[in-house]
Amino acid sequence: MAAQQNHRAGGSIIDSLGEEIVRIVTPVSICMFLVVILVAVLNSGSSSSPPTINTIATIAYSETTSDSTWDKLKGALLNALVFVVVVTAVTFLLVLLFYFRCTHFLKLYMGFSSFIVLLFLGGEIALFLIRKFSVPIDCFTFLVLLFNFAAVGVFAVFLSKMAIIVTQGYLVAIGMLVAYWFTLLPEWTTWVLLVALALYDLAAVLLPVGPLRLLVELAISRDEDIPALVYEARPVINHDQGSREYEGQRRAWRRRRESGNDSESDHNIVTSDAEVTAPLIQNRVSSAADGQESSVASTDNSFLEGIGLGSSGAIKLGLGDFIFYSVLVGRAAMYDFMTVYACYLAIIAGLGVTLMLLALYQQALPALPVSIAFGVLFYFLTRLLLEEFVVQCSLNLVMF
Amino acid sequence: MEASQSSSNPSSSAATPAPNPNRNSNSILSSAPVWPTIDGPLGLTEEESLSYARRFYGFGYALLPWLWAVNCFYFWPVLRHSRSFPVIRPYVMKSAVGFSVFTSLLCSWALTFAIGGEQLFGPVWDKLVMYNLADRLGLTGWI
């Protein structure tokens, strides 16, 4: 009995806040870890010629190792510009479709794109792994397993009320697959693209004319959810409150609702990146239809002071954030594990800062800029300074 | 919900008799669940879960044993407490049976293929194994 009372008195904001943060940091970490594993396993042999891909991101310029630094930089900037323009155009298209209430079409598109990603990208990466480890699996079993994986994934993304852990697992899987695919881009293009997308995210969410902000305002004014690929953390159930409140809590968690005591402001931001896969076309302009988001949303409870992450709150992080964090860490893994550790810590720190700002400002915020800024900064600092230091210390048997 | 209610029992005095085992299984003194899904209060209600269980069971016949497995996982309280949800239970039971049968067949075929290898199958093995097929059809090239 005493333990129960302690639990009820001690279940303060610190516990629930820590729990909320852990529930969003864990899947981000798992996604990054899986991408690092994939990169380490699949790219260990062929370091000289990694498989290059022809996508929208490399349509302007294909990097070769023989170009000069200035050419590579120019080419990368051009690629990133083209990509950001395409993403902006598609996001405005999404805002338009949402404005004309084509919600059913958007949901279908989401389901279709996740099916494509899970089936084709998942199949590709599985084939890479099978070839690497010479797994003696036959084609029927492989096809059945792949089809199962993709079909249940579509159910998980499409249906609003699947088992929470299954939906979360599939969203992490989709993020991992798309992130691995992005790490196949040439090096300079990847870094410039990350910085460009961070800046785009900042502009699109905070500027009043930005497409993501328009989308959020539309969604709030209509009190609807945006049909998009969003990772929602399981809400922390505060033991002080009775269980009767939770009969409708799941719906409140999914939709916005003005209840008597709480004022929940749910913000949800979507970027739709329309790269369409066309595997049979010979010139291989390949792309993956993908529903991305680049922002963080949360609900708050006016009872709790300070940070404002309520007990009924559920932090939502867009799948685009998962993808680009993992791309950064995957790229760092292509150099060395030291950069991986540094970039991982930088990204988690950035995510923590973003969550704090979220609690402070109580509105939708872009989740990419802070983390990508820290990540890129720490990657280059590690590569230029820390590595030299560590190597010299090891050579002289001072440390490590 | 169960935790907060069962905690009232230890604090009561020793004179309180044990709960009557002949009571209705949904009485609050037994540990019968109210929520048929594994998510508890965040999941589906009983009415909605019937349509979900039926749909998952139906779609699983399209060579989707994993969907049957997810069905069983999602409605785990229905399987565990055998008297609680009489309407949903047949679908979940049939999903469980279907999943076990399909998985055992698939596993036996896959293991035969993997372990038997060329000795058992002859030259057909090379034609069926996935990495050769991928190389021949160029499946890994188009990414």
Side-chain angles (χ1 to χ4, degrees), chain B residues 21-64:
Chain B
N22 291 334
R23 284 208 197 168
N24 187 0
S25 64
N26 279 334
S27 74
I28 55 173
L29 284 180
S30 72
S31 61
V34 178
W35 305 101
T37 63
I38 203 170
D39 288 332
L42 296 172
L44 300 168
T45 61
E46 231 179 293
E47 301 81 32
E48 294 167 331
S49 52
L50 178 63
S51 68
Y52 269 74
R54 202 181 327 170
R55 236 194 304 171
F56 285 170
Y57 170 66
F59 273 110
Y61 275 109
L63 291 184
L64 291 173

mmCIF file of all heavy atoms in Angstrom, chain B residues 21-64:
data_model
loop_
_atom_site.group_PDB
_atom_site.id
_atom_site.type_symbol
_atom_site.label_atom_id
_atom_site.label_comp_id
_atom_site.label_asym_id
_atom_site.label_seq_id
_atom_site.Cartn_x
_atom_site.Cartn_y
_atom_site.Cartn_z
ATOM 1 N N PRO B 21 -16.360 -18.327 -6.634
ATOM 2 C CA PRO B 21 -15.934 -18.755 -7.964
ATOM 3 C C PRO B 21 -17.098 -18.993 -8.906
ATOM 4 O O PRO B 21 -16.900 -19.159 -10.100
ATOM 5 C CB PRO B 21 -15.174 -20.049 -7.702
ATOM 6 C CG PRO B 21 -15.690 -20.526 -6.379
ATOM 7 C CD PRO B 21 -16.060 -19.331 -5.604
ATOM 8 N N ASN B 22 -18.330 -19.032 -8.379
ATOM 9 C CA ASN B 22 -19.455 -19.275 -9.279
ATOM 10 C C ASN B 22 -20.022 -18.016 -9.879
ATOM 11 O O ASN B 22 -21.015 -18.054 -10.569
ATOM 12 C CB ASN B 22 -20.584 -19.981 -8.513
ATOM 13 C CG ASN B 22 -20.179 -21.397 -8.158
ATOM 14 O OD1 ASN B 22 -19.362 -21.967 -8.846
ATOM 15 N ND2 ASN B 22 -20.724 -21.911 -7.081
ATOM 16 N N ARG B 23 -19.364 -16.883 -9.605
ATOM 17 C CA ARG B 23 -19.927 -15.642 -10.135
ATOM 18 C C ARG B 23 -19.714 -15.560 -11.631
ATOM 19 O O ARG B 23 -18.911 -16.271 -12.211
ATOM 20 C CB ARG B 23 -19.280 -14.443 -9.473
ATOM 21 C CG ARG B 23 -19.804 -14.251 -8.089
ATOM 22 C CD ARG B 23 -19.727 -12.811 -7.720
ATOM 23 N NE ARG B 23 -19.856 -12.702 -6.274
ATOM 24 C CZ ARG B 23 -19.610 -11.614 -5.605
ATOM 25 N NH1 ARG B 23 -19.206 -10.563 -6.245
ATOM 26 N NH2 ARG B 23 -19.759 -11.584 -4.310
ATOM 27 N N ASN B 24 -20.422 -14.624 -12.189
ATOM 28 C CA ASN B 24 -20.279 -14.322 -13.614
ATOM 29 C C ASN B 24 -18.825 -13.958 -13.917
ATOM 30 O O ASN B 24 -18.192 -13.236 -13.178
ATOM 31 C CB ASN B 24 -21.203 -13.146 -13.950
ATOM 32 C CG ASN B 24 -21.242 -12.872 -15.435
ATOM 33 O OD1 ASN B 24 -20.582 -13.551 -16.217
ATOM 34 N ND2 ASN B 24 -22.000 -11.883 -15.816
ATOM 35 N N SER B 25 -18.307 -14.440 -15.002
ATOM 36 C CA SER B 25 -16.885 -14.218 -15.290
ATOM 37 C C SER B 25 -16.563 -12.761 -15.541
ATOM 38 O O SER B 25 -15.422 -12.376 -15.558
ATOM 39 C CB SER B 25 -16.475 -15.044 -16.493
ATOM 40 O OG SER B 25 -17.188 -14.592 -17.627
ATOM 41 N N ASN B 26 -17.543 -11.941 -15.751
ATOM 42 C CA ASN B 26 -17.231 -10.538 -15.998
ATOM 43 C C ASN B 26 -17.377 -9.685 -14.747
ATOM 44 O O ASN B 26 -17.408 -8.484 -14.826
ATOM 45 C CB ASN B 26 -18.152 -9.975 -17.092
ATOM 46 C CG ASN B 26 -17.633 -10.358 -18.459
ATOM 47 O OD1 ASN B 26 -16.446 -10.580 -18.616
ATOM 48 N ND2 ASN B 26 -18.514 -10.462 -19.423
ATOM 49 N N SER B 27 -17.506 -10.306 -13.592
ATOM 50 C CA SER B 27 -17.622 -9.497 -12.376
ATOM 51 C C SER B 27 -16.284 -8.853 -12.061
ATOM 52 O O SER B 27 -15.241 -9.317 -12.475
ATOM 53 C CB SER B 27 -18.074 -10.367 -11.218
ATOM 54 O OG SER B 27 -16.996 -11.171 -10.813
ATOM 55 N N ILE B 28 -16.335 -7.787 -11.299
ATOM 56 C CA ILE B 28 -15.112 -7.019 -11.089
ATOM 57 C C ILE B 28 -14.136 -7.728 -10.171
ATOM 58 O O ILE B 28 -12.989 -7.338 -10.084
ATOM 59 C CB ILE B 28 -15.422 -5.625 -10.526
ATOM 60 C CG1 ILE B 28 -16.244 -5.733 -9.244
ATOM 61 C CG2 ILE B 28 -16.165 -4.799 -11.537
ATOM 62 C CD1 ILE B 28 -16.438 -4.410 -8.549
ATOM 63 N N LEU B 29 -14.565 -8.761 -9.470
ATOM 64 C CA LEU B 29 -13.628 -9.416 -8.570
ATOM 65 C C LEU B 29 -12.757 -10.420 -9.309
ATOM 66 O O LEU B 29 -11.750 -10.852 -8.810
ATOM 67 C CB LEU B 29 -14.376 -10.119 -7.422
ATOM 68 C CG LEU B 29 -14.876 -9.150 -6.361
ATOM 69 C CD1 LEU B 29 -15.609 -9.902 -5.261
ATOM 70 C CD2 LEU B 29 -13.723 -8.379 -5.751
ATOM 71 N N SER B 30 -13.165 -10.832 -10.483
ATOM 72 C CA SER B 30 -12.284 -11.713 -11.242
ATOM 73 C C SER B 30 -11.401 -10.840 -12.126
ATOM 74 O O SER B 30 -11.568 -9.636 -12.195
ATOM 75 C CB SER B 30 -13.093 -12.669 -12.097
ATOM 76 O OG SER B 30 -13.679 -11.956 -13.172
ATOM 77 N N SER B 31 -10.468 -11.476 -12.796
ATOM 78 C CA SER B 31 -9.543 -10.687 -13.591
ATOM 79 C C SER B 31 -9.933 -10.724 -15.059
ATOM 80 O O SER B 31 -9.074 -10.745 -15.922
ATOM 81 C CB SER B 31 -8.132 -11.205 -13.394
ATOM 82 O OG SER B 31 -8.090 -12.542 -13.821
ATOM 83 N N ALA B 32 -11.226 -10.759 -15.354
ATOM 84 C CA ALA B 32 -11.638 -10.787 -16.763
ATOM 85 C C ALA B 32 -11.350 -9.437 -17.401
ATOM 86 O O ALA B 32 -11.636 -8.396 -16.819
ATOM 87 C CB ALA B 32 -13.123 -11.097 -16.857
ATOM 88 N N PRO B 33 -10.792 -9.428 -18.581
ATOM 89 C CA PRO B 33 -10.464 -8.153 -19.218
ATOM 90 C C PRO B 33 -11.701 -7.524 -19.853
ATOM 91 O O PRO B 33 -12.625 -8.205 -20.238
ATOM 92 C CB PRO B 33 -9.462 -8.558 -20.289
ATOM 93 C CG PRO B 33 -9.849 -9.946 -20.627
ATOM 94 C CD PRO B 33 -10.361 -10.566 -19.378
ATOM 95 N N VAL B 34 -11.680 -6.232 -19.931
ATOM 96 C CA VAL B 34 -12.758 -5.510 -20.589
ATOM 97 C C VAL B 34 -12.404 -5.221 -22.039
ATOM 98 O O VAL B 34 -13.264 -5.131 -22.896
ATOM 99 C CB VAL B 34 -13.033 -4.199 -19.820
ATOM 100 C CG1 VAL B 34 -14.110 -3.400 -20.493
ATOM 101 C CG2 VAL B 34 -13.418 -4.520 -18.391
ATOM 102 N N TRP B 35 -11.105 -5.096 -22.283
ATOM 103 C CA TRP B 35 -10.651 -4.711 -23.612
ATOM 104 C C TRP B 35 -10.161 -5.939 -24.362
ATOM 105 O O TRP B 35 -9.279 -6.628 -23.891
ATOM 106 C CB TRP B 35 -9.511 -3.705 -23.494
ATOM 107 C CG TRP B 35 -9.897 -2.530 -22.681
ATOM 108 C CD1 TRP B 35 -9.575 -2.290 -21.385
ATOM 109 C CD2 TRP B 35 -10.697 -1.434 -23.093
ATOM 110 N NE1 TRP B 35 -10.114 -1.102 -20.968
ATOM 111 C CE2 TRP B 35 -10.811 -0.554 -21.994
ATOM 112 C CE3 TRP B 35 -11.332 -1.110 -24.286
ATOM 113 C CZ2 TRP B 35 -11.539 0.629 -22.067
ATOM 114 C CZ3 TRP B 35 -12.048 0.072 -24.344
ATOM 115 C CH2 TRP B 35 -12.149 0.916 -23.249
ATOM 116 N N PRO B 36 -10.702 -6.171 -25.563
ATOM 117 C CA PRO B 36 -10.296 -7.390 -26.272
ATOM 118 C C PRO B 36 -8.941 -7.301 -26.956
ATOM 119 O O PRO B 36 -8.424 -8.314 -27.390
ATOM 120 C CB PRO B 36 -11.402 -7.553 -27.325
ATOM 121 C CG PRO B 36 -11.925 -6.184 -27.542
ATOM 122 C CD PRO B 36 -11.796 -5.472 -26.246
ATOM 123 N N THR B 37 -8.375 -6.103 -27.070
ATOM 124 C CA THR B 37 -7.105 -5.999 -27.784
ATOM 125 C C THR B 37 -5.950 -5.888 -26.809
ATOM 126 O O THR B 37 -6.117 -5.604 -25.641
ATOM 127 C CB THR B 37 -7.083 -4.774 -28.692
ATOM 128 O OG1 THR B 37 -7.205 -3.621 -27.856
ATOM 129 C CG2 THR B 37 -8.194 -4.806 -29.687
ATOM 130 N N ILE B 38 -4.750 -6.057 -27.384
ATOM 131 C CA ILE B 38 -3.569 -6.053 -26.525
ATOM 132 C C ILE B 38 -3.207 -4.634 -26.094
ATOM 133 O O ILE B 38 -2.442 -4.441 -25.157
ATOM 134 C CB ILE B 38 -2.397 -6.715 -27.272
ATOM 135 C CG1 ILE B 38 -1.383 -7.238 -26.287
ATOM 136 C CG2 ILE B 38 -1.742 -5.760 -28.238
ATOM 137 C CD1 ILE B 38 -0.350 -8.088 -26.917
ATOM 138 N N ASP B 39 -3.786 -3.636 -26.773
ATOM 139 C CA ASP B 39 -3.484 -2.256 -26.411
ATOM 140 C C ASP B 39 -4.313 -1.780 -25.247
ATOM 141 O O ASP B 39 -4.142 -0.665 -24.794
ATOM 142 C CB ASP B 39 -3.738 -1.314 -27.602
ATOM 143 C CG ASP B 39 -2.706 -1.485 -28.673
ATOM 144 O OD1 ASP B 39 -1.584 -1.866 -28.339
ATOM 145 O OD2 ASP B 39 -3.035 -1.229 -29.841
ATOM 146 N N GLY B 40 -5.261 -2.599 -24.819
ATOM 147 C CA GLY B 40 -6.060 -2.214 -23.676
ATOM 148 C C GLY B 40 -6.945 -1.029 -23.989
ATOM 149 O O GLY B 40 -7.627 -1.003 -25.009
ATOM 150 N N PRO B 41 -6.957 -0.043 -23.109
ATOM 151 C CA PRO B 41 -7.865 1.092 -23.320
ATOM 152 C C PRO B 41 -7.550 1.907 -24.559
ATOM 153 O O PRO B 41 -8.380 2.674 -25.023
ATOM 154 C CB PRO B 41 -7.699 1.931 -22.049
ATOM 155 C CG PRO B 41 -6.477 1.428 -21.401
ATOM 156 C CD PRO B 41 -6.252 0.040 -21.830
ATOM 157 N N LEU B 42 -6.339 1.757 -25.111
ATOM 158 C CA LEU B 42 -6.022 2.497 -26.318
ATOM 159 C C LEU B 42 -6.477 1.775 -27.567
ATOM 160 O O LEU B 42 -6.371 2.306 -28.662
ATOM 161 C CB LEU B 42 -4.506 2.718 -26.413
ATOM 162 C CG LEU B 42 -3.878 3.576 -25.328
ATOM 163 C CD1 LEU B 42 -2.379 3.518 -25.457
ATOM 164 C CD2 LEU B 42 -4.339 5.004 -25.451
ATOM 165 N N GLY B 43 -6.933 0.556 -27.423
ATOM 166 C CA GLY B 43 -7.276 -0.236 -28.598
ATOM 167 C C GLY B 43 -8.744 -0.142 -28.943
ATOM 168 O O GLY B 43 -9.424 0.837 -28.676
ATOM 169 N N LEU B 44 -9.242 -1.197 -29.535
ATOM 170 C CA LEU B 44 -10.610 -1.191 -30.018
ATOM 171 C C LEU B 44 -11.581 -1.585 -28.913
ATOM 172 O O LEU B 44 -11.219 -2.253 -27.957
ATOM 173 C CB LEU B 44 -10.752 -2.200 -31.161
ATOM 174 C CG LEU B 44 -9.886 -1.976 -32.377
ATOM 175 C CD1 LEU B 44 -9.947 -3.203 -33.251
ATOM 176 C CD2 LEU B 44 -10.359 -0.786 -33.142
ATOM 177 N N THR B 45 -12.827 -1.187 -29.118
ATOM 178 C CA THR B 45 -13.884 -1.688 -28.238
ATOM 179 C C THR B 45 -14.352 -3.033 -28.784
ATOM 180 O O THR B 45 -13.943 -3.464 -29.852
ATOM 181 C CB THR B 45 -15.066 -0.722 -28.206
ATOM 182 O OG1 THR B 45 -15.570 -0.614 -29.538
ATOM 183 C CG2 THR B 45 -14.636 0.639 -27.722
ATOM 184 N N GLU B 46 -15.245 -3.659 -28.030
ATOM 185 C CA GLU B 46 -15.638 -5.011 -28.416
ATOM 186 C C GLU B 46 -16.391 -5.044 -29.734
ATOM 187 O O GLU B 46 -16.207 -5.957 -30.532
ATOM 188 C CB GLU B 46 -16.514 -5.600 -27.315
ATOM 189 C CG GLU B 46 -16.039 -6.935 -26.873
ATOM 190 C CD GLU B 46 -16.897 -7.504 -25.766
ATOM 191 O OE1 GLU B 46 -16.873 -6.939 -24.661
ATOM 192 O OE2 GLU B 46 -17.590 -8.494 -26.027
ATOM 193 N N GLU B 47 -17.197 -4.030 -29.983
ATOM 194 C CA GLU B 47 -17.998 -4.050 -31.205
ATOM 195 C C GLU B 47 -17.119 -3.887 -32.431
ATOM 196 O O GLU B 47 -17.272 -4.590 -33.430
ATOM 197 C CB GLU B 47 -19.043 -2.930 -31.191
ATOM 198 C CG GLU B 47 -20.010 -2.986 -30.027
ATOM 199 C CD GLU B 47 -19.415 -2.394 -28.767
ATOM 200 O OE1 GLU B 47 -18.596 -1.450 -28.870
ATOM 201 O OE2 GLU B 47 -19.733 -2.900 -27.693
ATOM 202 N N GLU B 48 -16.189 -2.935 -32.331
ATOM 203 C CA GLU B 48 -15.327 -2.692 -33.497
ATOM 204 C C GLU B 48 -14.412 -3.866 -33.748
ATOM 205 O O GLU B 48 -14.086 -4.187 -34.895
ATOM 206 C CB GLU B 48 -14.467 -1.453 -33.260
ATOM 207 C CG GLU B 48 -15.248 -0.172 -33.181
ATOM 208 C CD GLU B 48 -14.378 0.939 -32.631
ATOM 209 O OE1 GLU B 48 -13.465 0.629 -31.847
ATOM 210 O OE2 GLU B 48 -14.601 2.095 -32.988
ATOM 211 N N SER B 49 -13.979 -4.524 -32.659
ATOM 212 C CA SER B 49 -12.962 -5.552 -32.846
ATOM 213 C C SER B 49 -13.527 -6.768 -33.552
ATOM 214 O O SER B 49 -12.773 -7.513 -34.161
ATOM 215 C CB SER B 49 -12.344 -5.944 -31.522
ATOM 216 O OG SER B 49 -13.345 -6.283 -30.606
ATOM 217 N N LEU B 50 -14.852 -6.953 -33.511
ATOM 218 C CA LEU B 50 -15.414 -8.098 -34.227
ATOM 219 C C LEU B 50 -15.170 -7.957 -35.725
ATOM 220 O O LEU B 50 -14.718 -8.895 -36.392
ATOM 221 C CB LEU B 50 -16.916 -8.190 -33.939
ATOM 222 C CG LEU B 50 -17.629 -9.324 -34.672
ATOM 223 C CD1 LEU B 50 -17.078 -10.646 -34.219
ATOM 224 C CD2 LEU B 50 -19.123 -9.266 -34.434
ATOM 225 N N SER B 51 -15.447 -6.741 -36.246
ATOM 226 C CA SER B 51 -15.248 -6.556 -37.680
ATOM 227 C C SER B 51 -13.765 -6.669 -38.045
ATOM 228 O O SER B 51 -13.417 -7.215 -39.097
ATOM 229 C CB SER B 51 -15.815 -5.212 -38.134
ATOM 230 O OG SER B 51 -15.053 -4.170 -37.607
ATOM 231 N N TYR B 52 -12.891 -6.149 -37.182
ATOM 232 C CA TYR B 52 -11.469 -6.238 -37.463
ATOM 233 C C TYR B 52 -10.998 -7.684 -37.478
ATOM 234 O O TYR B 52 -10.279 -8.109 -38.377
ATOM 235 C CB TYR B 52 -10.670 -5.447 -36.411
ATOM 236 C CG TYR B 52 -10.420 -4.025 -36.811
ATOM 237 C CD1 TYR B 52 -11.439 -3.096 -36.779
ATOM 238 C CD2 TYR B 52 -9.163 -3.616 -37.223
ATOM 239 C CE1 TYR B 52 -11.213 -1.789 -37.146
ATOM 240 C CE2 TYR B 52 -8.926 -2.315 -37.589
ATOM 241 C CZ TYR B 52 -9.954 -1.407 -37.547
ATOM 242 O OH TYR B 52 -9.729 -0.105 -37.915
ATOM 243 N N ALA B 53 -11.434 -8.449 -36.453
ATOM 244 C CA ALA B 53 -10.984 -9.850 -36.366
ATOM 245 C C ALA B 53 -11.474 -10.625 -37.578
ATOM 246 O O ALA B 53 -10.729 -11.418 -38.166
ATOM 247 C CB ALA B 53 -11.498 -10.487 -35.081
ATOM 248 N N ARG B 54 -12.721 -10.353 -37.976
ATOM 249 C CA ARG B 54 -13.261 -11.089 -39.112
ATOM 250 C C ARG B 54 -12.513 -10.726 -40.396
ATOM 251 O O ARG B 54 -12.204 -11.585 -41.226
ATOM 252 C CB ARG B 54 -14.745 -10.769 -39.255
ATOM 253 C CG ARG B 54 -15.476 -11.845 -40.020
ATOM 254 C CD ARG B 54 -16.905 -11.559 -40.207
ATOM 255 N NE ARG B 54 -17.482 -10.831 -39.087
ATOM 256 C CZ ARG B 54 -18.682 -10.311 -39.131
ATOM 257 N NH1 ARG B 54 -19.418 -10.461 -40.201
ATOM 258 N NH2 ARG B 54 -19.171 -9.648 -38.109
ATOM 259 N N ARG B 55 -12.205 -9.430 -40.549
ATOM 260 C CA ARG B 55 -11.521 -8.998 -41.767
ATOM 261 C C ARG B 55 -10.120 -9.574 -41.846
ATOM 262 O O ARG B 55 -9.688 -10.039 -42.909
ATOM 263 C CB ARG B 55 -11.459 -7.474 -41.810
ATOM 264 C CG ARG B 55 -12.080 -6.932 -43.067
ATOM 265 C CD ARG B 55 -11.744 -5.513 -43.309
ATOM 266 N NE ARG B 55 -12.093 -4.632 -42.202
ATOM 267 C CZ ARG B 55 -11.723 -3.361 -42.151
ATOM 268 N NH1 ARG B 55 -11.004 -2.853 -43.129
ATOM 269 N NH2 ARG B 55 -12.057 -2.608 -41.148
ATOM 270 N N PHE B 56 -9.418 -9.553 -40.729
ATOM 271 C CA PHE B 56 -8.063 -10.113 -40.736
ATOM 272 C C PHE B 56 -8.101 -11.592 -41.062
ATOM 273 O O PHE B 56 -7.280 -12.111 -41.813
ATOM 274 C CB PHE B 56 -7.384 -9.910 -39.384
ATOM 275 C CG PHE B 56 -6.920 -8.507 -39.133
ATOM 276 C CD1 PHE B 56 -6.470 -8.128 -37.886
ATOM 277 C CD2 PHE B 56 -6.914 -7.562 -40.138
ATOM 278 C CE1 PHE B 56 -6.040 -6.847 -37.635
ATOM 279 C CE2 PHE B 56 -6.487 -6.278 -39.900
ATOM 280 C CZ PHE B 56 -6.051 -5.918 -38.631
ATOM 281 N N TYR B 57 -9.070 -12.296 -40.474
ATOM 282 C CA TYR B 57 -9.174 -13.724 -40.734
ATOM 283 C C TYR B 57 -9.446 -13.982 -42.212
ATOM 284 O O TYR B 57 -8.837 -14.849 -42.834
ATOM 285 C CB TYR B 57 -10.282 -14.320 -39.871
ATOM 286 C CG TYR B 57 -10.618 -15.735 -40.230
ATOM 287 C CD1 TYR B 57 -9.701 -16.757 -40.040
ATOM 288 C CD2 TYR B 57 -11.853 -16.057 -40.777
ATOM 289 C CE1 TYR B 57 -10.002 -18.049 -40.381
ATOM 290 C CE2 TYR B 57 -12.158 -17.346 -41.109
ATOM 291 C CZ TYR B 57 -11.238 -18.349 -40.912
ATOM 292 O OH TYR B 57 -11.537 -19.632 -41.246
ATOM 293 N N GLY B 58 -10.349 -13.166 -42.800
ATOM 294 C CA GLY B 58 -10.681 -13.367 -44.204
ATOM 295 C C GLY B 58 -9.527 -13.084 -45.120
ATOM 296 O O GLY B 58 -9.205 -13.867 -46.022
ATOM 297 N N PHE B 59 -8.834 -11.970 -44.890
ATOM 298 C CA PHE B 59 -7.726 -11.608 -45.766
ATOM 299 C C PHE B 59 -6.545 -12.551 -45.625
ATOM 300 O O PHE B 59 -5.716 -12.647 -46.529
ATOM 301 C CB PHE B 59 -7.248 -10.181 -45.464
ATOM 302 C CG PHE B 59 -8.007 -9.130 -46.221
ATOM 303 C CD1 PHE B 59 -8.863 -8.275 -45.582
ATOM 304 C CD2 PHE B 59 -7.848 -9.008 -47.588
ATOM 305 C CE1 PHE B 59 -9.561 -7.309 -46.281
ATOM 306 C CE2 PHE B 59 -8.539 -8.046 -48.293
ATOM 307 C CZ PHE B 59 -9.406 -7.196 -47.638
ATOM 308 N N GLY B 60 -6.468 -13.220 -44.498
ATOM 309 C CA GLY B 60 -5.337 -14.126 -44.315
ATOM 310 C C GLY B 60 -5.327 -15.286 -45.276
ATOM 311 O O GLY B 60 -4.293 -15.906 -45.495
ATOM 312 N N TYR B 61 -6.473 -15.576 -45.883
ATOM 313 C CA TYR B 61 -6.515 -16.678 -46.831
ATOM 314 C C TYR B 61 -5.788 -16.361 -48.129
ATOM 315 O O TYR B 61 -5.537 -17.256 -48.928
ATOM 316 C CB TYR B 61 -7.969 -17.079 -47.134
ATOM 317 C CG TYR B 61 -8.512 -18.033 -46.127
ATOM 318 C CD1 TYR B 61 -9.485 -17.632 -45.220
ATOM 319 C CD2 TYR B 61 -8.021 -19.335 -46.045
ATOM 320 C CE1 TYR B 61 -9.972 -18.509 -44.273
ATOM 321 C CE2 TYR B 61 -8.499 -20.210 -45.099
ATOM 322 C CZ TYR B 61 -9.480 -19.794 -44.217
ATOM 323 O OH TYR B 61 -9.950 -20.658 -43.274
ATOM 324 N N ALA B 62 -5.455 -15.080 -48.336
ATOM 325 C CA ALA B 62 -4.709 -14.732 -49.547
ATOM 326 C C ALA B 62 -3.225 -14.938 -49.336
ATOM 327 O O ALA B 62 -2.417 -14.060 -49.617
ATOM 328 C CB ALA B 62 -4.991 -13.269 -49.898
ATOM 329 N N LEU B 63 -2.838 -16.108 -48.838
ATOM 330 C CA LEU B 63 -1.438 -16.467 -48.583
ATOM 331 C C LEU B 63 -0.773 -15.481 -47.635
ATOM 332 O O LEU B 63 0.352 -15.061 -47.848
ATOM 333 C CB LEU B 63 -0.625 -16.498 -49.888
ATOM 334 C CG LEU B 63 -0.934 -17.595 -50.885
ATOM 335 C CD1 LEU B 63 0.039 -17.505 -52.037
ATOM 336 C CD2 LEU B 63 -0.830 -18.958 -50.242
ATOM 337 N N LEU B 64 -1.481 -15.114 -46.564
ATOM 338 C CA LEU B 64 -0.940 -14.144 -45.609
ATOM 339 C C LEU B 64 -0.951 -14.715 -44.196
ATOM 340 O O LEU B 64 -1.729 -14.263 -43.356
ATOM 341 C CB LEU B 64 -1.750 -12.840 -45.646
ATOM 342 C CG LEU B 64 -1.637 -11.990 -46.889
ATOM 343 C CD1 LEU B 64 -2.619 -10.838 -46.821
ATOM 344 C CD2 LEU B 64 -0.239 -11.419 -47.013
#
